[in-house]
Amino acid sequence: MKSQTIPNFIIVDDDNFNNFICQNTILSVFPQAEILIFTDPEAALIYLESTYPQSAPANTVLFLDINMSNISGWEFLKVFEQFDISVKKFLKVYMLSSSIDPRDKVLATSNKNVWNYISKPLTKQVVKDTVTKVREEEMTSVSREIQDKLGQQLMRIKMDIIWLSSKIKYPSDEIKEKITASIALIDETVETTRRIDAELRPRILDDLGLFAALEWQVAEFTNHTGIPCELKIGFSGEPEFSKFLSGHIFRIFQEALNNVARHAQAKEVNTELNYLNGNMILSIEDNGRGFNTKTTKNKKSFGLLRMKEHACMINGAIKIRSNPGEGTKIELIVPVII
């Protein structure tokens, strides 16, 4: 056991064969993952209580079996429930079981400490979906922290500066300029935190849906770059997309527009969202300088890599068409049921 390393995954199951399957499945998706395996659930509880939240950089996914010889998964959760909130906040528990009792799934989905119920064996797609959901939760949490706490603290500092300035009877011009500059800097920082919050996960995506979020992103792009951008949506109404799907589509769209702003030197951008033959097709096309796609494949283009990673999470594909001086067109093709 690596006592100084916080694992990405913890498996608690007294079935060594299942543990072998889980470990290999996880590593086939995330080769660098740190994995801890416990065949004794009581040893796992001792480890969790003594280790977390010390230096925990991110959340850990815990796959928990239900039927174990020592104590059951439900007994494990009863002990886990007594842990300090600072311990539980870093652990995302998933019940991973071969139980045929339908009550187990009901119990799992109704337990506030369980994120989901998964039937054995663990698959690559489940690992991808699980990690993506945890990452989305992390980003949403950071987003709320920025907006709710940092924004309020900055406003309090601003009010304190204004109050202090009112107590100075005869401030010099230098002091007046400093006070004005400080207030302006705070206002600028507040605006920056709002922008970061929106980039992590705009609330409009949760409140009004994907289409409204895409329209908002187009407006934000034009406001910040001055480049005209149009969005055409070829749907008569908005389907009920899952947060998982809409989140990845939005991030691909956002990353594509960010790439245009940074590299394309475009004068206009046209985007479309359509549905054809069981696939949703999102396209972003600019009239900028373009690039050699063959050369780019041999380089680390992090923007394109991020888009492809998001597409992979939703069983989608990214197609890129570009040539020097002829602009660029990026298409996301993802299967959906409407």
Side-chain angles (χ1 to χ4, degrees):
M1 181 185 302
K2 296 180 180 180
S3 59
Q4 300 302 315
T5 302
I6 300 299
N8 307 113
F9 297 90
I10 295 175
I11 303 166
V12 182
D13 193 337
D14 59 0
D15 183 345
N16 284 317
F17 181 67
N18 177 71
N19 294 339
F20 175 80
I21 293 174
C22 288
Q23 184 175 34
N24 281 276
T25 301
I26 293 169
L27 291 176
S28 70
V29 180
F30 301 104
Q32 304 303 317
E34 292 285 346
I35 304 170
L36 269 181
I37 297 175
F38 291 91
T39 55
D40 180 356
E42 292 181 327
L45 286 167
I46 294 171
Y47 169 81
L48 295 176
E49 190 172 28
S50 63
T51 302
Y52 287 82
Q54 301 173 31
S55 306
N59 291 305
T60 295
V61 174
L62 190 154
F63 292 120
L64 175 65
D65 187 28
I66 292 177
N67 299 311
M68 294 180 284
S69 58
N70 194 352
I71 63 172
S72 71
W74 305 125
E75 293 170 322
F76 182 100
L77 287 173
K78 286 181 181 178
V79 178
F80 183 72
E81 170 61 27
Q82 305 305 314
F83 285 2
D84 189 90
I85 186 65
S86 63
V87 178
K88 292 186 287 185
K89 68 180 291 188
F90 291 103
L91 296 162
K92 308 305 179 188
V93 180
Y94 285 78
M95 305 304 290
L96 179 63
S97 177
S98 57
S99 171
I100 59 174
D101 188 341
R103 292 173 297 178
D104 282 334
K105 187 171 183 179
V106 174
L107 284 171
T109 54
S110 61
N111 190 301
K112 65 180 181 180
N113 292 313
V114 176
W115 275 47
N116 203 353
Y117 177 94
I118 303 169
S119 296
K120 290 181 179 178
L122 188 65
T123 65
K124 292 181 181 181
Q125 189 58 50
V126 168
V127 172
K128 291 178 183 179
D129 293 348
T130 299
V131 170
T132 299
K133 185 177 180 181
V134 170
R135 287 176 177 173
E136 287 289 331
E137 177 67 18
E138 289 174 354
M139 286 185 284
T140 299
S141 177
V142 171
S143 174
R144 300 297 182 260
E145 191 83 7
I146 289 172
Q147 185 168 340
D148 296 339
K149 292 189 177 180
L150 182 56
Q152 292 176 11
Q153 291 169 351
L154 288 167
M155 291 309 297
R156 283 200 293 267
I157 293 172
K158 178 180 177 179
M159 296 305 296
D160 287 344
I161 291 176
I162 293 173
W163 181 84
L164 287 171
S165 66
S166 69
K167 299 300 179 181
I168 303 175
K169 292 185 178 181
Y170 306 107
S172 65
D173 290 341
E174 184 180 7
I175 291 176
K176 289 180 181 179
E177 290 177 4
K178 193 66 174 177
I179 290 172
T180 301
S182 296
I183 292 173
L185 179 59
I186 291 172
D187 288 339
E188 182 181 343
T189 306
V190 168
E191 183 59 33
T192 299
T193 60
R194 288 174 180 166
R195 187 166 63 252
I196 293 172
D197 174 48
E199 289 175 353
L200 287 172
R201 185 176 178 90
R203 291 196 172 183
I204 193 172
L205 185 60
D206 294 327
D207 297 339
L208 299 180
L210 175 63
F211 292 0
L214 296 179
E215 290 170 346
W216 170 84
Q217 186 62 56
V218 163
E220 285 289 294
F221 173 82
T222 298
N223 289 338
H224 284 99
T225 65
I227 303 171
C229 185
E230 182 180 356
L231 171 65
K232 294 180 180 178
I233 298 178
F235 288 79
S236 57
E238 180 167 358
E240 292 186 7
F241 299 121
S242 67
K243 287 186 177 181
F244 179 80
L245 178 64
S246 62
H248 283 291
I249 292 173
F250 177 81
R251 294 197 187 287
I252 291 168
F253 188 72
Q254 188 179 56
E255 188 64 49
L257 289 180
N258 285 342
N259 282 352
V260 173
R262 288 194 296 264
H263 308 299
Q265 298 178 9
K267 294 184 178 178
E268 67 176 17
V269 183
N270 292 297
T271 67
E272 292 187 28
L273 186 65
N274 294 299
Y275 183 74
L276 180 65
N277 299 328
N279 291 311
M280 178 183 292
I281 302 173
L282 174 66
S283 66
I284 303 95
E285 186 170 11
D286 68 72
N287 63 351
R289 63 180 183 173
F291 60 92
N292 188 324
T293 55
K294 293 181 180 179
T295 302
T296 304
K297 286 180 181 179
N298 298 323
K299 296 179 180 179
K300 289 186 176 180
S301 176
F302 293 109
L304 296 178
L305 287 174
R306 281 192 292 267
M307 282 189 280
K308 289 179 179 179
E309 183 182 56
H310 284 297
C312 180
M313 292 294 184
I314 52 177
N315 295 319
I318 295 289
K319 291 185 177 180
I320 302 170
R321 188 193 69 202
S322 185
N323 285 300
E326 298 180 8
T328 300
K329 183 175 183 178
I330 294 176
E331 277 190 340
L332 164 69
I333 302 171
V334 55
V336 296
I337 298 175
I338 295 179

